C-alpha cells in the first residue's frame, strides 16, 4: 500500500511517499481502507519533532480518517467489514490502510460523506469537549473565539452558536472573519487591525466575556483574560502563535475567573466511552446539517507537501484533507 512516511524529523519536503505492506488485524483490531484523512496544525509540529508526542520512526502523519472496514480481528463484534467508520489516532492515517482498535471506531450515519467525516474528529471533538465539559458554556453567555477561522476555532464558532451562546469571532483578516460569520459568529474582531483588549471590552460591555477559547496564545492571551466577566472561564487550547504566554495571577483573582486547560487527546484516552459518545454526537449533527464542517481543500496523498504548507503558512480556513 502507499503511505506517507516520516523517517526523521524535518520539514514536509523530507517526508517520503513509500510502498509498505498492508497491516493485518490482531485480536480486537480492525483494518480500515482510508478514503479520506485530515491534517491538523499539530501535524506540522509532529513531523518536525516539535510536538509533545514523538512517535517512533517511521510513522505517518494525519491523526484522523474515515473509510470502510476491510478486515476485523478475533473477538470484534461492534463493527464488521463494509461498515463506514471514522476515528482519531495520535498519528498514522496518511496511508491507504490503517490498523485501529475496533473500540476506537465510530460508525457513520449514511448521509455523512467521507471527506467531512474525516474532518470533524479533532476539531469538533476538541471544541465540543472544551465548551461542554471544560467551560460548561450556557445559552445566552458570551463566547470569544481566537483564531476563529482555523480548524478548532471555526468548529468552536459553530458549536458555540449551536449551544446558544453569543459568539465573537477573532482572527487576523477580514476574509477569515467573513468565514467565521458564515459559520454563525454574531460579532467579529480583526486583531491584526484593532487592539484585541479594546474590542473585547467594547463587545463584552459592563458584564464582560464569559468564555474565551484560545488556540493561538502568544500576544492575545493576556488582553483576552483582561476582558473576562466575573466567574469567566479562559480555555487554554493551544499556542499556534508559537509563544506560550505567561500571566500575572492578579488578573485571575480580580475577576474570580478560571483558567482551564483543554487536553482533548489525553481525555479521550482516559475516557474512551465518553469520547466515542462525543464523536457520535458530532457525526449525527453533521449528518443532520446542523454543523457545516468546512473543508478548505482536498489533496491527493502524494501532495502532502503543499497540503502541509497551507497550514504552516497560516492560510488555511477549515480543514485540509488527503485522499489516498
Ligand atoms: N488542546 C487540545 O486538545 C488541542 C486539540 C487540537 C488542536 N490543538 C492546538 O490548537 C492550535 C490550533 O490548531 P488548528 O488545527 O486549529 O490550527 P489552524 O487550523 O492552523 O489554526 C490556527 C490559527 O491560529 C492563528 N495563528 C496565529 N499565529 C499563527 C502562526 N504563527 N502560525 C499559524 N497560525 C497562527 C491563525 O489564525 P489568525 O491568522 O486568524 O490569527 C490560524 O487560523 C494548535 O496549537 C494545536 O496544537 C489543541
Amino acid at each position: 500500500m502507499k503511505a506517507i512516511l516520516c523517517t526523521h524529523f524535518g520539514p514536509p519536503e523530507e517526508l517520503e511517499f513509500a510502498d509498505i505492506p498492508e497491516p493485518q488485524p490482531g485480536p480486537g483490531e480492525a483494518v480500515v481502507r482510508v478514503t479520506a484523512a485530515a491534517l491538523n496544525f499539530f501535524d506540522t509540529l509532529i513531523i518536525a519533532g516539535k510536538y509533545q508526542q514523538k512517535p517512533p520512526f517511521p510513522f505517518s502523519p494525519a491523526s484522523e480518517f474515515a473509510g470502510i472496514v476491510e478486515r476485523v480481528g478475533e473477538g470484534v463484534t461492534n463493527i464488521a467489514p463494509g461498515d463506514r467508520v471514522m476515528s482519531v489516532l495520535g498519528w498514522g492515517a496518511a496511508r491507504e490502510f490503517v490498523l485501529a482498535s475496533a473500540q476506537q471506531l465510530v460508525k457513520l450515519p449514511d448521509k455523512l460523506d467521507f471527506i467531512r467525516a474525516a474532518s470533524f474528529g479533532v476539531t469538533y471533538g476538541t471544541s465540543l469537549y472544551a465548551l461542554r465539559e471544560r467551560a460548561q458554556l450556557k445559552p445566552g453567555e458570551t463566547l470569544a473565539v481566537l483564531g476563529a477561522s482555523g480548524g478548532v476555532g471555526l468548529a468552536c464558532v459553530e458549536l458555540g452558536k449551536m449551544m446558544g451562546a453569543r459568539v465573537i469571532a477573532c482572527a487576523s483578516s477580514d476574509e477569515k472573519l467573513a468565514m467565521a460569520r458564515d459559520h454563525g459568529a454574531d460579532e467579529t474582531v480583526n486583531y491584526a487591525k484593532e487592539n484585541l483588549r479594546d474590542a473585547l471590552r467594547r463587545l463584552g460591555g459592563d458584564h464582560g466575556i464569559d468564555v474565551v477559547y484560545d488556540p493561538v496564545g502568544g500576544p492575545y492571551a493576556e488582553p483576552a483574560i483582561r476582558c473576562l466577566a466575573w466567574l469567566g472561564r479562559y480555555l487554554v487550547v493551544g499556542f499556534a502563535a508559537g509563544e506560550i504566554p505567561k500571566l500575572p495571577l492578579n488578573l485571575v483573582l480580580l475577576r474570580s475567573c478560571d483558567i482551564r486547560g483543554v487536553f482533548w487527546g489525553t481525555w479521550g484516552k482516559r475516557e474512551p466511552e465518553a469520547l466515542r459518545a462525543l464523536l457520535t454526537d458530532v457525526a449525527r449533527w453533521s449528518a443532520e446539517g446542523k454543523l457545516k464542517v468546512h473543508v478548505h481543500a482536498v489533496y491527493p496523498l502524494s501532495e502532502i507537501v503543499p497540503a502541509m504548507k497551507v497550514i504552516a503558512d497560516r492560510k488555511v480556513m477549515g480543514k485540509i484533507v488527503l485522499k489516498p
Side-chain angles (χ1 to χ4, degrees):
M1 66 168 177
K2 294 285 184 206
I4 300 293
L5 292 184
C6 179
T7 58
H8 56 275
F9 292 131
E13 290 80 357
E14 290 175 19
L15 292 168
E16 290 173 24
F17 187 48
D19 269 308
I20 58 168
E22 275 179 36
Q24 297 301 324
E29 292 178 332
V31 169
V32 179
R33 176 187 289 274
V34 176
T35 50
L39 293 174
N40 290 280
F41 184 84
F42 62 72
D43 287 299
T44 66
L45 303 178
I46 209 165
I47 62 162
K50 293 180 182 163
Y51 195 56
Q52 58 254 35
Q53 287 167 302
K54 297 190 173 48
F57 299 120
F59 70 91
S60 299
S63 67
E64 51 189 337
F65 65 93
I68 300 168
V69 176
E70 184 85 1
R71 286 183 287 280
V72 297
E74 213 182 291
V76 172
T77 52
N78 63 318
I79 45 145
D83 282 349
R84 301 169 77 250
V85 295
M86 64 75 62
S87 192
V88 180
L89 314 168
W91 56 84
R95 48 177 62 196
E96 286 179 308
F97 293 93
V98 291
L99 185 66
S101 154
Q103 293 301 329
Q104 282 178 287
L105 299 174
V106 173
K107 279 197 208 173
L108 295 174
D110 290 342
K111 277 195 196 155
L112 190 57
D113 62 87
F114 285 124
I115 302 276
R116 287 167 73 231
S119 304
F120 74 72
V122 172
T123 53
Y124 288 79
T126 300
S127 295
L128 183 57
Y129 167 62
L131 295 180
R132 196 160 75 178
E133 315 292 328
R134 300 298 291 132
Q136 279 118 29
L137 181 72
K138 294 183 244 346
E141 286 193 318
T142 298
L143 165 69
V145 182
L146 312 189
S149 77
V152 293
L154 201 58
C156 184
V157 168
E158 274 205 277
L159 287 164
K161 194 66 198 163
M162 203 184 89
M163 291 165 78
R166 170 180 171 242
V167 179
I168 303 172
C170 311
S172 67
S173 76
D174 292 342
E175 190 194 2
K176 289 182 171 188
L177 290 169
M179 168 73 72
R181 269 205 193 270
D182 192 44
H183 283 69
D186 299 288
E187 321 268 0
T188 55
V189 175
N190 181 337
Y191 47 50
K193 283 188 190 159
E194 192 179 2
N195 178 289
L196 181 65
R197 178 175 155 186
D198 293 348
L200 290 182
R201 284 253 165 100
R202 174 171 52 78
L203 293 167
D206 291 341
H207 176 77
I209 307 290
D210 295 297
V211 176
V212 171
Y213 179 96
D214 185 5
V216 182
Y220 303 124
E222 187 176 329
I225 289 176
R226 286 183 182 275
C227 302
L228 277 177
W230 182 251
L231 301 181
R233 287 87 76 203
Y234 168 85
L235 299 171
V236 183
V237 181
F239 312 104
E243 184 208 327
I244 299 180
K246 294 186 175 51
L247 298 164
L249 284 178
N250 63 318
L251 299 181
V252 180
L253 179 150
L254 291 171
R255 287 160 186 78
S256 260
C257 66
D258 291 355
I259 296 178
R260 299 188 185 175
V262 175
F263 200 0
W264 179 68
T266 298
W267 170 75
K269 283 193 195 104
R270 296 169 74 101
E271 306 203 27
E273 287 302 314
L275 172 66
R276 223 155 36 133
L278 179 127
L279 291 175
T280 303
D281 281 348
V282 180
R284 192 180 63 252
W285 295 330
S286 306
E288 288 169 358
K290 291 182 181 155
L291 299 173
K292 290 189 179 179
V293 189
H294 180 74
V295 174
H296 180 96
V298 180
Y299 292 83
L301 191 59
S302 56
E303 288 187 25
I304 184 94
V305 175
M308 286 254 180
K309 287 209 148 189
V310 76
I311 297 178
D313 292 347
R314 207 171 166 179
K315 294 200 177 112
V316 68
M317 294 195 282
K319 295 297 300 218
I320 295 295
V321 173
L322 299 170
K323 242 183 137 11

